[in-house]
Amino acid sequence: MLHEPAVELGKDKSIPQKTRLGVVMFFIYMFVYMGFVVIGTMFPEALGVKFIGGQNLAFLYGMGLIVLAIVMGLIYNFLCTRLEDKLNKEEQS
Amino acid sequence: MIYQISSMAIIIFIFFVLTVLGLSFFFARKTKSASGYYAAGGQIHWAVNGIAFAGDYLSAASFLGICGMIAFFGYDGFLYSIGYLAGWVVALFLVAEPLKRLGKYTFADALDAKFNSRAIKLTAAISTLVVSIFYLIPQMVGAGALVTPLLGLPHWVGVMMVGAVVILIVATAGMTSTTYVQFIKGGLLIVFSLIVVILVLNKGIKLNPSADYHKPIVLAATLAEGRVQAVADSSYQVLGQHEESGLTFVKMTKAGIDSWWKLNSISSTPELEETLTVVETGDGRTLYNGEPKEAGKFYQVGHVNKIVVNGREVEETGPLGPFKFIKTLGTSEVVRFTKKAFTFAGDKITIYFQNITAGSDIIKPGLYYKLDKGSSIWSRLDFLSLMLALFLGTSALPHILIRYYTVPSQRAARKSTIVAISAIGFFYILTLFLGTGAMINGSLDLGSSNMSAPLLAKTFGITLFSIISAIAFATILGTVSGLIVASSGAVAHDLMDKYMKIKMTEKQKVKAGRIAAVGVGIVAIMLGIIFEKQNVSFLVGLAFAIAASANLPAILMLLFWKRTTAKGISWAIVVGMMTSLVLILLSPTLYELYGLPAASAPMPLKNPGIISIPLGFLTLVVVSLLTKKREASPALEK
């Protein structure tokens, strides 16, 4: 019950597209992450400035980075699965 | 500090350890092949593997270390949560699937899939060993920290216990049992942490965290020429005075018990404020607040000094939502404790005194990694270095990498990574509330930041404390098992089988792995005892820096740069690993461990990542470019 059958029976034709997608999403996240690190290093006082709902930038940005990682992970999986289904189906037909 | 031992705690603890052992023996009977031992036969379901990832990852470092660091330094501890999770993004987007396509059992296999180079086999195996051992130290330290309050045993006994149980688990079962054990514990840890956070929010913020909380006493003092002559309570007698870093500490005695006080002379009436002290006397005794440890006078601390809600001061807030909790904390004042150490009349004195901190400083970085007030170029670089190491370290950790081989397909590898990110991300959000909850609810043991989260659970009852501690301990068992499987794989599979080409049957390979597991376990036990006092999350940060410096350049460039050569990979691993190790050995933290002043350390950075990671990448590129032509010919390779 816990062991699913292997899904890749033939060659996975979606590898180049998935790799490109992964690299693009990595750079998007890295850019946002670097924003946090740069603010912390260069403008640390900005992290204490209050924004939405009386919460400061440090709290909003930090929580945002965690939530963004989860959301981007789900989007990546959705897009990869769609690519695999589409391209490997075309290959079989 | 001394803890009360409860029979309930012991029963729950033994139940968890026996369950873990039972599971291991059950799966041990199924492990007959090398594939079963190192990679669970590649047949674990992605959802189980995802939570097992979380179980592996949410180890002592996350639960004990991060919560402890937040409890002592506020948001700076949460930086670890952010960085640890961000590291998973690199793992998911860049590493998970390609590595699954390349590998067999170990990280070295994956690196070597393209080149079949003996140098890669050797360097990757050594790097796996070094990173795993560095990651093992904090787990062992965490185990020792846990058994002290749980079972009333000394630190070294805890370390030995974990070592012995894990060696037994790994030497019998391997990756299948490790996976299922991690799955169960990862799940339980998240559920019970959520329960504690709900209780923290429901309690809200109170000036007096509990009925039996000991708030430090303040006495009015009389001064003459800058020296304290007498205090308001005549039962105290002044014995002496010491100046340290611009602060004045006063030694007094009452009924034969000596105590240290901090002089506050800012207001018109000078005051003496009670401190917590550990005194190592000249004749070899250690006294806690003037008495032996057993007297239980080294109180747990942590409270708020002022609560402000909507501009008005209140005594307690009542139940709060998570956003309101953080917002209220940000407008209040929290009492933290600062440590000072000095020698007085032949005694070694360590004093912890109150440091009233604005809540707004608690919920932004700067109390540990100095960024604005009192910052220097090195303290800012340290912050940068840590964030870089955490971001790039996760996807280079051998015990995380081997988990990609336990699932049947690339799709399963990807899905299990997403389950892991979601579970771990949710837990890391909880850490902020667990840490700050401990900070204001009298849950700080000033002798060990690692105990903050379990002690917070204790404020809600001994049962919850026992369950949380047993889960944390069991989680350490699982993480250590995973690390030891990775290390034994490096020794038996990469070094003995592939590098030395020792002919072994499947049975002998598993046996070699198990013997290697025992050896690595013993080394980990010894290091766990040596590093007792360090924050476990800080130690994990070092393991991340070594992994990111030694392994990540090799993995990423192999996957994304076509001109990478075998020599480039080997040299990058060697240079990344050696640089990070040497920089750690010369760092202020290790200098303190050697008993030398931190300021005298030749390397001003606590985390080496910012130097060693780019150096690893640079080495790979330069050596690959220099060796490209020679390696192009297979004949020359031989």
Side-chain angles (χ1 to χ4, degrees):
Chain A
M1 280 231 300
L2 288 172
H3 310 303
E4 66 169 22
V7 284
E8 274 77 18
L9 296 173
K11 195 169 181 276
D12 184 4
K13 300 287 279 182
S14 60
I15 289 172
Q17 284 89 337
K18 285 193 295 185
T19 307
R20 207 173 309 131
L21 178 68
V23 170
V24 169
M25 293 192 86
F26 164 75
F27 275 104
I28 295 172
Y29 192 85
M30 193 184 76
F31 187 74
V32 182
Y33 183 81
M34 269 175 56
F36 179 78
V37 178
V38 168
I39 293 173
T41 318
M42 311 291 286
F43 316 101
E45 61 289 344
L47 290 174
V49 175
K50 285 184 181 165
F51 283 89
I52 312 154
Q55 305 290 353
N56 70 12
L57 181 63
F59 176 78
L60 294 171
Y61 210 145
M63 286 290 177
L65 278 169
I66 292 179
V67 174
L68 183 69
I70 299 172
V71 172
M72 283 181 73
L74 293 171
I75 294 172
Y76 174 73
N77 182 51
F78 171 76
L79 294 176
C80 281
T81 309
R82 210 171 62 167
L83 276 171
E84 281 165 0
D85 290 346
K86 191 177 157 213
L87 295 171
N88 294 332
K89 205 176 184 181
E90 279 170 7
E91 171 72 5
Q92 281 167 14
S93 59
Chain B
M1 66 183 280
I2 193 94
Y3 298 95
Q4 298 292 323
I5 306 151
S6 99
S7 49
M8 163 88 85
I10 296 171
I11 291 167
I12 293 175
F13 176 82
I14 292 173
F15 171 76
F16 265 81
V17 173
L18 288 180
T19 308
V20 170
L21 281 175
L23 272 172
S24 299
F25 291 134
F26 174 74
F27 288 111
R29 289 190 296 170
K30 296 186 172 182
T31 307
K32 297 281 182 275
S33 65
S35 154
Y37 182 74
Y38 294 121
Q43 285 302 317
I44 301 285
H45 187 272
W46 56 266
V48 173
N49 204 51
I51 299 293
F53 257 138
D56 262 334
Y57 207 63
L58 301 179
S59 60
S62 298
F63 184 62
L64 304 179
I66 293 181
C67 295
M69 208 167 219
I70 296 174
F72 277 67
F73 299 101
Y75 194 95
D76 289 49
F78 191 57
L79 290 173
Y80 282 88
S81 293
I82 296 167
Y84 283 149
L85 191 75
W88 279 92
V89 170
V90 186
L92 173 66
F93 294 155
L94 300 182
V95 177
E97 287 192 50
L99 211 65
K100 175 70 192 162
R101 283 198 293 274
L102 286 174
K104 199 177 169 192
Y105 299 145
T106 65
F107 152 71
D109 274 339
L111 279 186
D112 199 30
K114 203 168 155 187
F115 298 108
N116 192 24
S117 144
R118 293 190 77 208
I120 291 186
K121 289 183 181 84
L122 180 67
T123 50
I126 293 173
S127 143
T128 300
L129 261 181
V130 170
V131 174
S132 298
I133 286 176
F134 258 82
Y135 207 97
L136 274 168
I137 300 171
Q139 313 303 326
M140 291 301 198
V141 172
L146 268 173
V147 294
T148 309
L150 199 63
L151 307 176
L153 299 168
H155 176 89
W156 66 270
V157 177
V159 175
M160 297 281 277
M161 273 172 62
V162 168
V165 175
V166 166
I167 290 171
L168 197 61
I169 293 173
V170 179
T172 51
M175 201 61 185
T176 313
S177 64
T178 306
T179 301
Y180 284 104
V181 164
Q182 285 296 44
F183 165 72
I184 294 167
K185 285 175 310 196
L188 284 176
L189 187 65
I190 294 169
V191 169
F192 277 90
S193 297
L194 177 64
I195 292 172
V196 176
V197 169
I198 291 170
L199 290 170
V200 166
L201 295 176
N202 191 48
K203 184 178 175 184
I205 304 173
K206 289 179 174 183
L207 281 182
N208 197 15
S210 64
D212 56 352
Y213 183 73
H214 178 89
K215 268 197 178 168
I217 306 164
V218 175
L219 296 172
T222 317
L223 263 71
E225 293 173 1
R227 296 195 70 83
V228 175
Q229 304 296 319
V231 290
D233 184 343
S234 59
S235 58
Y236 283 98
Q237 190 191 340
V238 179
L239 294 180
Q241 193 164 317
H242 180 85
E243 307 286 328
E244 186 71 29
S245 320
L247 301 167
T248 305
F249 299 102
V250 177
K251 185 180 181 183
M252 299 206 289
T253 190
K254 178 185 177 180
I257 296 166
D258 296 349
S259 54
W260 281 89
W261 301 67
K262 179 172 164 277
L263 176 66
N264 294 333
S265 44
I266 305 160
S267 61
S268 53
T269 36
E271 287 172 347
L272 285 185
E273 177 189 289
E274 193 184 14
T275 67
L276 281 96
T277 50
V278 180
V279 177
E280 287 175 47
T281 61
D283 55 9
R285 289 175 303 142
T286 305
L287 299 174
Y288 294 82
N289 283 358
E291 295 185 59
K293 200 171 194 177
E294 296 71 32
K297 289 291 163 62
F298 198 71
Y299 311 105
Q300 275 173 226
V301 292
H303 63 274
V304 280
N305 187 51
K306 189 161 86 176
I307 308 170
V308 180
V309 180
N310 299 328
R312 277 184 40 236
E313 268 194 50
V314 294
E315 289 213 348
E316 60 180 277
T317 61
L320 293 169
F323 291 100
K324 186 86 178 163
F325 179 85
I326 295 295
K327 191 180 164 189
T328 309
L329 197 65
T331 52
S332 305
E333 279 180 359
V334 179
V335 177
R336 294 166 59 240
F337 282 76
T338 302
K339 181 179 163 184
K340 283 274 177 244
F342 55 86
T343 309
F344 185 85
D347 295 342
K348 275 188 185 171
I349 319 282
T350 307
I351 285 191
Y352 301 90
F353 60 90
Q354 295 185 74
N355 177 356
I356 296 170
T357 309
S360 56
D361 287 337
I362 301 282
I363 49 168
K364 72 181 176 74
L367 294 176
Y368 187 80
Y369 291 96
K370 299 284 176 219
L371 293 175
D372 46 4
K373 286 173 224 157
S375 73
S376 68
I377 180 77
W378 292 112
S379 65
R380 288 175 188 224
L381 277 177
D382 235 342
F383 166 77
L384 204 62
S385 193
L386 172 80
M387 296 311 278
L388 186 70
L390 298 184
F391 188 53
L392 299 177
T394 303
S395 45
L397 290 173
H399 76 291
I400 295 293
L401 293 174
I402 56 169
R403 200 159 277 297
Y404 289 123
Y405 310 130
T406 59
V407 289
S409 65
Q410 295 161 44
R411 185 181 283 202
R414 184 178 69 236
K415 282 184 179 174
S416 59
T417 312
I418 287 156
V419 171
I421 290 182
S422 308
I424 295 167
F426 178 67
F427 177 82
Y428 281 156
I429 290 174
L430 299 181
T431 58
L432 188 61
F433 299 96
L434 289 170
T436 49
M439 181 183 246
I440 59 169
N441 279 304
S443 309
L444 307 184
D445 169 1
L446 293 175
S448 165
S449 63
N450 298 325
M451 276 313 292
S452 306
L455 289 177
L456 172 66
K458 199 175 183 181
T459 62
F460 299 109
I462 194 77
T463 311
L464 193 58
F465 166 70
S466 309
I467 294 172
I468 283 275
S469 301
I471 294 170
F473 190 82
T475 304
I476 292 176
L477 289 181
T479 307
V480 173
S481 309
L483 286 162
I484 291 185
V485 169
S487 313
S488 69
V491 174
H493 177 75
D494 300 335
L495 279 180
M496 293 171 67
D497 187 15
K498 298 281 178 183
Y499 181 72
M500 298 179 191
K501 297 194 191 310
I502 300 172
K503 291 269 172 272
M504 288 186 287
T505 61
E506 280 288 300
K507 221 175 171 183
Q508 284 170 325
K509 279 184 196 172
V510 174
K511 194 178 173 189
R514 287 174 176 165
I515 293 170
V518 175
V520 175
I522 292 169
V523 173
I525 289 173
M526 293 190 298
L527 291 172
I529 295 170
I530 295 172
F531 281 83
E532 177 188 349
K533 300 279 180 201
Q534 294 294 326
N535 177 285
V536 293
S537 216
F538 173 77
L539 291 171
V540 166
L542 297 183
F544 270 61
I546 302 173
S549 313
N551 300 348
L552 196 78
I555 297 169
L556 283 189
M557 298 305 260
L558 175 78
L559 298 175
F560 295 99
W561 195 47
K562 285 187 180 136
R563 299 171 79 177
T564 305
T565 65
K567 284 202 170 64
I569 289 182
S570 315
W571 277 106
I573 293 176
V574 171
V575 170
M577 182 171 61
M578 293 311 290
T579 321
S580 49
L581 274 177
V582 169
L583 292 179
I584 288 170
L585 291 174
L586 299 177
S587 69
T589 318
L590 267 283
Y591 261 57
E592 273 184 346
L593 201 69
Y594 310 144
L596 299 167
S600 68
M603 161 75 180
L605 291 176
K606 292 174 188 162
N607 192 303
I610 197 154
I611 298 171
S612 52
I613 297 170
L615 205 59
F617 275 101
L618 189 69
T619 308
L620 191 143
V621 172
V622 171
V623 177
S624 291
L625 290 175
L626 289 175
T627 55
K628 187 69 192 166
K629 272 186 185 167
R630 270 191 291 155
E631 285 194 12
S633 159
L636 280 176
E637 173 70 5
K638 288 180 181 176

